[in-house]
Amino acid sequence: MRPRGNGRATDRGGPRRAPRTALRRRRTGAAAALSIALSAALAVTAQAPAQAQGTLRDLAEARGVEIGAALGADHLSGDPEFARLAGAEFNAATAENAMKWDALQPSRGQFNWGNADSFMASARADGQAVRGHTLVWHSQLPSWVSDGGFSPDQLRTVMGEHIGTVAGRYAGQVAYWDVANEIFLEDGSWRGSVFYDTLGEGFVADALRMADQADPNAKLYLNDYNIEGINPKSDAYYDLARSLLEQGVPLDGIGMQTHLINGQVPHDMRQNMQRFADLGLDVAVTELDVRIQMPADQGELQQQGQDYRAVMENCLAVDRCVGVTVWGIVDQYSWVPDVFPGYGAPLPFNEQYRPKPAYYGLQQALAG
Ligand code: 9MR
């Protein structure tokens, strides 16, 4: 049996804030004037938490959770302000593309480690927990795998070589692996892929076992989008996870990507996270962003701040939620406008590297 749980010995039940009934009492005359002045002073303090309360990573560490970001290799190496924010604000990191199959093994047996190694070095220098992303995925998969015409045994060997080599190389340095990514469709049916079509659903258990063998210390996850709320797709994960655990397959957690549209945090996100936690699994928000139809106005940016805050609060409310990772740092590098034309501004920092309401939403949730 793998050790379960995230190993954090934190008590989330800290002291509750004193009720503010005194400020709500009616007052008259001088007392009222004094009260108004005091309230104004308090309101100013409450609105300026950014600099006063420290970085996201400091706040997250105090709460025993992780705040991560997806980091693009080009930006890490070529944009000093991006690299500075990555280290200053985030205590966890995911390589945005550098650890995907096409980046690491573009042809059979030819591994390119450059970007992945630099990402790992940067994460080590910045003291960040690494989420390895991703071992088995139908996308960003080179054609020698997808069109290879492999028999089931051959494909299992190919998968084993990839997982063994990649997870083996970074064994002991990766806290979490997204072992299989995006394996279900929205209606909860299996997504067709070379892996599913050749090996059937057993490819998931195989991949988890291979990853466990290569790096017994990493927490092993299944990861997908649109599984934040309770719906047919998250139900499919729930059923699969339960069945894998019953079979003793090494599965530690479920990653909820959380690519949201502004104003649409699922109302039952917390309940959904909790049902996976109740199975004995960890959960994590692995790719948070909140896209806005452009141009974004102030009201929409404020709404986005509420959404970021709500997602972090959901994670904090579920003891087995290990943290929240945002899918990028600054708006200008996000994948969103390429895939959803007309949408943008999905991240916590704007194009001038200034914190947005989304940043303050995370900060306020973490500050409790
Ligand atoms: O952000 C990634 C982008 O740079 C790539 O072009 C894209 C290719 O599919 O993948 C993006 O990241 C995806 C992640 O790996 C898996 N979940 C969805 C993410 C956004 O598409």
Side-chain angles (χ1 to χ4, degrees):
M1 271 297 263
R2 299 170 61 75
R4 308 246 170 244
N6 56 34
R8 279 187 285 113
T10 53
D11 173 12
R12 297 265 184 71
R16 286 183 179 278
R17 259 196 213 146
R20 292 191 179 166
T21 45
L23 289 177
R24 291 203 201 103
R25 256 187 242 136
R26 274 179 196 231
R27 296 181 184 86
T28 51
L34 180 61
S35 166
I36 288 163
L38 277 174
S39 304
L42 281 174
V44 167
T45 319
Q47 276 169 11
Q51 291 77 10
Q53 291 179 353
T55 63
L56 296 181
R57 69 181 291 168
D58 287 346
L59 293 167
E61 273 154 30
R63 297 297 292 269
V65 293
E66 287 168 0
I67 178 76
L71 307 178
D74 293 354
H75 310 134
L76 259 189
S77 62
D79 180 342
E81 184 56 12
F82 178 93
R84 191 195 67 75
L85 278 177
E89 293 286 348
F90 300 95
N91 65 359
T94 306
E96 186 170 1
N97 289 299
M99 293 169 100
K100 293 172 179 175
W101 196 312
D102 65 348
L104 289 180
Q105 196 186 181
S107 52
R108 190 165 186 181
Q110 295 280 304
F111 285 87
N112 292 336
W113 300 111
N115 284 338
D117 281 358
S118 337
F119 162 78
M120 292 298 295
S122 135
R124 196 176 315 117
D126 285 337
Q128 292 163 327
V130 168
R131 175 169 288 273
H133 177 83
T134 172
L135 293 171
V136 178
W137 188 24
H138 67 277
S139 181
Q140 288 179 283
L141 185 65
S143 55
W144 73 267
V145 186
S146 48
D147 307 341
F150 294 116
S151 71
D153 279 350
Q154 288 169 334
L155 186 61
R156 219 173 278 114
T157 301
V158 163
M159 215 168 76
E161 285 168 1
H162 185 76
I163 294 175
T165 307
V166 174
R169 181 178 183 89
Y170 299 118
Q173 303 169 54
V174 167
Y176 319 93
W177 268 110
D178 291 336
V179 175
N181 197 37
E182 301 175 2
I183 57 176
F184 288 121
L185 298 174
E186 311 317 296
D187 65 359
S189 62
W190 284 86
R191 181 193 291 278
S193 70
V194 68
F195 302 108
Y196 179 74
D197 299 344
T198 312
L199 299 170
E201 34 189 277
F203 84 89
V204 175
D206 288 345
L208 287 162
R209 290 194 175 103
M210 290 165 180
D212 185 40
Q213 210 175 358
D215 185 354
N217 293 315
K219 301 288 183 190
L220 307 182
Y221 277 63
L222 305 178
N223 189 52
D224 213 325
Y225 57 87
N226 288 349
I227 59 165
E228 297 76 35
I230 297 180
N231 57 43
K233 194 174 185 180
S234 63
D235 285 349
Y237 276 94
Y238 186 81
D239 294 343
L240 175 65
R242 193 164 52 183
S243 141
L244 291 170
L245 292 174
E246 274 166 16
Q247 296 166 61
V249 175
L251 172 68
D252 297 296
I254 300 294
M256 299 171 179
Q257 294 184 7
T258 320
H259 294 293
L260 300 177
I261 297 172
N262 206 24
Q264 296 187 22
V265 179
H267 66 92
D268 49 8
M269 183 171 182
R270 195 173 299 190
Q271 194 189 339
N272 186 45
M273 287 177 146
Q274 190 60 51
R275 72 172 170 158
F276 287 99
D278 291 343
L279 282 180
L281 292 169
D282 292 340
V283 291
V285 172
T286 52
E287 305 186 10
L288 176 63
D289 50 27
V290 179
R291 57 185 181 269
I292 299 177
Q293 197 145 26
M294 299 301 279
D297 66 28
Q298 276 311 312
E300 288 166 319
L301 292 169
Q302 292 299 332
Q303 174 63 54
Q304 187 184 48
Q306 293 304 312
D307 291 353
Y308 267 84
R309 181 176 181 153
V311 169
M312 180 58 85
E313 283 173 346
N314 285 334
C315 179
L316 290 167
V318 174
D319 192 48
R320 296 197 68 148
C321 180
V322 302
V324 171
T325 289
V326 293
W327 202 246
I329 297 178
V330 291
D331 283 337
Q332 64 268 39
Y333 299 149
S334 169
W335 67 291
V336 161
D338 295 339
V339 176
F340 298 104
Y343 283 84
L347 290 167
F349 287 86
N350 68 18
E351 303 197 358
Q352 287 74 46
Y353 303 87
R354 299 292 307 154
K356 294 163 58 186
Y359 175 90
Y360 297 116
L362 292 172
Q363 192 181 49
Q364 284 158 9
L366 286 168

